[in-house]
Amino acid sequence: MRHPLALALLLLGLAALPAAALPARTTAGPAATIGAVRRSLLDAIERLQAAPGARSAQVQSAGDSLVANTRAVLEEVETRLAGRFEQGIDRLDATERRLVTSAEELATQLDSASSALAGLSAADAHRLLGDADILAHDTVHALPCRSQRPRVVYVTPEELHVGAEPAEIRIRGNYLAFGAEPEIRVEGQPALLIARRDHELHVQLPPALFRCLEAPRSVTVRFRPTARSRACYLWGLLPWSSLVAAEQELAVTVVLRPHTAGSGPG
């Protein structure tokens, strides 16, 4: 253990250092201000939009959706907490604190995406942006009186080499676990729902799809989920919610490829 006198001298030396010499604060923490989180989110949007690297149409679309949902989070912070930007997060009520801490987490995810995009494949970039988009969408629709309608953000893997790996996919999105399990069909055939969570459906494709597969083909996975309709009456004093059938089916497309020697995961 360090000698008490030496430890005291060390602490005095640190206290005497100028602020620039001390490590920067990397997390907001309970004492951070609303304005600091707002600024970090604004900066993260700018860095993501300026991130280098060629982007496919799919990745560009994922990035556009993420930026749109992040701006929606930013608008909620600016509208709900206007005039309070100097206030610390620890002084917020539970709903406000959840909004601001989610905004902080979102800024971190955007910065991670900005740093990694240039070195990722299109599929990996799509997944990275998609997971951040799921968080951004959740942040806005977790607020009181907001209806929560299921949506699909991406599917992984996007391609399956038949026989080289399990014929299973994961459909990622928002609000996928409301109500009874949906019937999932692929090209009219029933698929097996292995597991279901709020952000993911784990699905096994029907074996009949792989019989006599000689050339790559796209198949569409369809299901009709359940949504949660929410509203508030009397200025929010009377919250109301109910589960309702989603207005339309959700669908994803997967490419099936025959297994050949040397083919790897899709």
Side-chain angles (χ1 to χ4, degrees):
M1 180 179 293
R2 192 183 297 271
H3 191 280
L5 178 58
L7 180 59
L9 291 173
L10 175 62
L11 293 175
L12 286 172
L14 287 175
L17 286 174
L22 295 175
R25 188 186 184 97
T26 56
T27 58
T33 64
I34 298 163
V37 174
R38 171 184 173 272
R39 183 71 257 170
S40 68
L41 197 57
L42 276 168
D43 291 344
I45 293 173
E46 292 180 3
R47 282 191 288 268
L48 179 64
Q49 293 179 313
R55 303 190 190 185
S56 66
Q58 183 186 51
V59 172
Q60 185 61 50
S61 177
D64 290 344
S65 177
L66 171 55
V67 168
N69 277 314
T70 301
R71 290 195 184 281
V73 173
L74 186 61
E75 183 178 350
E76 291 293 343
V77 171
E78 293 177 339
T79 301
R80 290 172 177 267
L81 303 172
R84 301 165 59 190
F85 290 168
E86 298 304 315
Q87 186 172 322
I89 296 175
D90 53 347
R91 296 177 57 192
L92 301 178
D93 65 31
T95 297
E96 295 169 339
R97 189 179 305 115
R98 189 183 308 114
L99 170 62
V100 176
T101 54
S102 294
E104 181 191 9
E105 181 183 351
L106 182 58
T108 299
Q109 288 201 19
L110 262 66
D111 281 339
S112 296
S114 300
S115 301
L117 276 178
L120 293 178
S121 67
D124 286 341
H126 191 201
R127 288 192 287 268
L128 183 65
L129 295 170
D131 285 336
D133 194 26
I134 289 170
L135 171 60
H137 190 85
D138 264 354
T139 299
V140 173
H141 293 273
L143 293 168
C145 311
R146 300 291 177 87
S147 290
Q148 297 172 330
R149 295 179 177 84
R151 68 171 191 146
V152 166
V153 177
Y154 69 88
V155 60
T156 184
E158 298 173 354
E159 296 186 358
L160 283 170
H161 289 83
V162 177
E165 55 195 349
E168 297 173 6
I169 60 172
R170 295 176 188 271
I171 300 171
R172 297 277 296 163
N174 296 90
Y175 310 121
L176 300 177
F178 289 143
E181 291 186 355
E183 180 184 20
I184 302 174
R185 303 189 73 82
V186 188
E187 305 297 302
Q189 302 178 46
L192 174 65
L193 179 59
I194 298 173
R196 180 173 69 150
R197 294 191 292 274
D198 192 37
H199 295 146
E200 183 176 286
L201 300 181
H202 184 185
V203 178
Q204 181 180 16
L205 303 187
L209 294 173
F210 313 120
R211 297 186 188 126
C212 304
L213 184 69
E214 297 180 352
R217 62 177 292 222
S218 296
V219 296
T220 302
V221 183
R222 300 180 183 276
F223 62 100
R224 186 181 295 275
T226 299
R228 183 162 74 169
S229 178
R230 298 198 300 171
C232 290
Y233 301 100
L234 293 179
W235 304 280
L237 296 177
L238 292 177
W240 171 88
S241 69
S242 67
L243 296 180
V244 296
E247 297 173 356
Q248 59 186 12
E249 285 188 326
L250 298 181
V252 297
T253 300
V254 180
V255 176
L256 305 182
R257 295 186 180 276
H259 177 53
T260 58
S263 63

